[in-house]
Amino acid sequence: MNWSGIIVGAATFLIIGICHPIVIKAEYHIGKKSWWGFLAMGVLLGLLSLLIEDDTLSTIAGAGAFSFFWGIGEVFAQEKRVLKGWFPENPKRHDYYENLRRKNSRVS
C-alpha cells in the first residue's frame, strides 16, 4: 500500500488551512507590505523542495511554497475585504484605511 498520496493530500489541506489565518493576521498587523514575507517563505520552501530527496516531503514543501505564493495575492485581497467591512481593521492603522477610503471614493 502506498500512503504518500494521502499524506501529501492531508499535509496540503493543513498547509492551506494554516495559511488562511496567517494572511488575515499578516494584513491586520503589518498590512499589504507583508507580501514580502510570503514571497520569502515561498522561495525558501521552493528551494527546500528542490533539495529534499524524499518525494513525499519534497512534494509537501512544494505545496507549501505555492500556498505562500498564493498568499501574496490574498494579502492584497484581504485589504479590500477589510475596506468593505468584511473583516475588522486594525485600530492602530485606522488612518491608513481612511486614506484609502478617501482615495477610492474620489476615483469612483
Side-chain angles (χ1 to χ4, degrees), residues 32-45:
K32 65 183 176 188
K33 64 186 170 194
S34 65
W35 77 270
W36 286 101
F38 286 90
L39 177 65
M41 283 300 295
V43 169
L44 177 68
L45 286 171

Side-chain angles (χ1 to χ4, degrees), residues 58-107:
S58 174
T59 304
I60 292 169
F66 282 87
S67 292
F68 276 98
F69 290 146
W70 182 269
I72 293 169
E74 284 300 307
V75 168
F76 289 89
Q78 180 66 17
E79 180 179 84
K80 291 177 185 174
R81 292 189 283 264
V82 170
L83 289 171
K84 290 178 182 178
W86 297 353
F87 283 83
E89 69 178 49
N90 185 341
K92 294 177 183 175
R93 299 177 56 237
H94 179 73
D95 292 339
Y96 170 79
Y97 290 115
E98 279 303 307
N99 287 335
L100 280 179
R101 287 184 185 101
R102 269 184 255 143
K103 206 184 305 182
N104 289 340
S105 68
R106 281 186 266 156
V107 172

Side-chain angles (χ1 to χ4, degrees), residues 12-42:
T12 303
F13 179 76
L14 288 172
I15 290 166
I16 293 169
I18 290 168
C19 281
H20 181 67
I22 290 172
V23 165
I24 293 168
K25 293 290 185 185
E27 194 287 325
Y28 184 87
H29 292 289
I30 301 167
K32 65 183 176 188
K33 64 186 170 194
S34 65
W35 77 270
W36 286 101
F38 286 90
L39 177 65
M41 283 300 295

